[in-house]
PDB file of all heavy atoms in Angstrom:
ATOM      1  N   HIS N1435      27.578 125.801-205.752  1.00 79.00           N
ATOM      2  CA  HIS N1435      27.302 124.882-206.779  1.00 79.00           C
ATOM      3  C   HIS N1435      25.812 124.348-206.708  1.00 79.00           C
ATOM      4  O   HIS N1435      25.177 124.315-207.744  1.00 79.00           O
ATOM      5  CB  HIS N1435      28.265 123.708-206.748  1.00 79.00           C
ATOM      6  CG  HIS N1435      27.950 122.657-207.670  1.00 79.00           C
ATOM      7  ND1 HIS N1435      28.271 122.730-209.055  1.00 79.00           N
ATOM      8  CD2 HIS N1435      27.387 121.372-207.536  1.00 79.00           C
ATOM      9  CE1 HIS N1435      27.913 121.600-209.705  1.00 79.00           C
ATOM     10  NE2 HIS N1435      27.405 120.855-208.780  1.00 79.00           N
ATOM     11  N   MET N1438      23.252 127.282-207.347  1.00 80.00           N
ATOM     12  CA  MET N1438      23.257 127.583-208.804  1.00 80.00           C
ATOM     13  C   MET N1438      22.425 126.491-209.577  1.00 80.00           C
ATOM     14  O   MET N1438      21.794 126.749-210.541  1.00 80.00           O
ATOM     15  CB  MET N1438      24.647 127.771-209.352  1.00 80.00           C
ATOM     16  CG  MET N1438      25.316 129.051-208.865  1.00 80.00           C
ATOM     17  SD  MET N1438      26.941 129.174-209.393  1.00 80.00           S
ATOM     18  CE  MET N1438      26.680 129.662-211.028  1.00 80.00           C
ATOM     19  N   GLY N1439      22.651 125.232-209.127  1.00 76.00           N
ATOM     20  CA  GLY N1439      21.838 124.119-209.821  1.00 76.00           C
ATOM     21  C   GLY N1439      20.457 124.195-209.479  1.00 76.00           C
ATOM     22  O   GLY N1439      19.524 123.988-210.428  1.00 76.00           O
ATOM     23  N   GLY N1442      18.823 127.341-211.312  1.00 75.00           N
ATOM     24  CA  GLY N1442      18.921 127.375-212.737  1.00 75.00           C
ATOM     25  C   GLY N1442      19.870 128.345-213.274  1.00 75.00           C
ATOM     26  O   GLY N1442      19.709 128.844-214.372  1.00 75.00           O
ATOM     27  N   THR N1443      20.832 128.738-212.452  1.00 72.00           N
ATOM     28  CA  THR N1443      21.785 129.786-213.004  1.00 72.00           C
ATOM     29  C   THR N1443      23.031 129.202-213.587  1.00 72.00           C
ATOM     30  O   THR N1443      23.988 129.895-213.918  1.00 72.00           O
ATOM     31  CB  THR N1443      22.115 130.728-211.842  1.00 72.00           C
ATOM     32  OG1 THR N1443      22.614 129.964-210.727  1.00 72.00           O
ATOM     33  CG2 THR N1443      20.992 131.520-211.358  1.00 72.00           C
ATOM     34  N   LYS N1444      23.160 127.864-213.587  1.00 62.00           N
ATOM     35  CA  LYS N1444      24.285 127.173-214.170  1.00 62.00           C
ATOM     36  C   LYS N1444      24.090 127.048-215.623  1.00 62.00           C
ATOM     37  O   LYS N1444      23.370 126.093-216.113  1.00 62.00           O
ATOM     38  CB  LYS N1444      24.527 125.791-213.557  1.00 62.00           C
ATOM     39  CG  LYS N1444      25.186 125.828-212.189  1.00 62.00           C
ATOM     40  CD  LYS N1444      25.323 124.423-211.674  1.00 62.00           C
ATOM     41  CE  LYS N1444      26.045 123.486-212.489  1.00 62.00           C
ATOM     42  NZ  LYS N1444      26.298 122.258-211.940  1.00 62.00           N
ATOM     43  N   LYS N1445      24.590 127.991-216.402  1.00 64.00           N
ATOM     44  CA  LYS N1445      24.373 127.923-217.837  1.00 64.00           C
ATOM     45  C   LYS N1445      25.708 128.172-218.505  1.00 64.00           C
ATOM     46  O   LYS N1445      26.556 128.898-217.976  1.00 64.00           O
ATOM     47  CB  LYS N1445      23.402 129.109-218.272  1.00 64.00           C
ATOM     48  CG  LYS N1445      22.055 128.874-217.731  1.00 64.00           C
ATOM     49  CD  LYS N1445      21.063 129.960-218.267  1.00 64.00           C
ATOM     50  CE  LYS N1445      19.691 129.587-217.856  1.00 64.00           C
ATOM     51  NZ  LYS N1445      19.053 130.463-216.910  1.00 64.00           N
ATOM     52  N   ARG N1446      25.798 127.583-219.666  1.00 62.00           N
ATOM     53  CA  ARG N1446      27.029 127.830-220.503  1.00 62.00           C
ATOM     54  C   ARG N1446      26.983 129.280-221.046  1.00 62.00           C
ATOM     55  O   ARG N1446      26.069 129.658-221.585  1.00 62.00           O
ATOM     56  CB  ARG N1446      27.111 126.820-221.664  1.00 62.00           C
ATOM     57  CG  ARG N1446      28.348 126.832-222.337  1.00 62.00           C
ATOM     58  CD  ARG N1446      28.440 125.684-223.284  1.00 62.00           C
ATOM     59  NE  ARG N1446      28.545 124.422-222.630  1.00 62.00           N
ATOM     60  CZ  ARG N1446      29.708 123.874-222.242  1.00 62.00           C
ATOM     61  NH1 ARG N1446      30.832 124.381-222.605  1.00 62.00           N
ATOM     62  NH2 ARG N1446      29.702 122.664-221.712  1.00 62.00           N
TER      63      ARG N1446
END
Side-chain angles (χ1 to χ4, degrees):
H1435 173 76
M1438 289 176 76
T1443 55
K1444 282 177 55 175
K1445 294 184 173 108
R1446 188 170 290 270

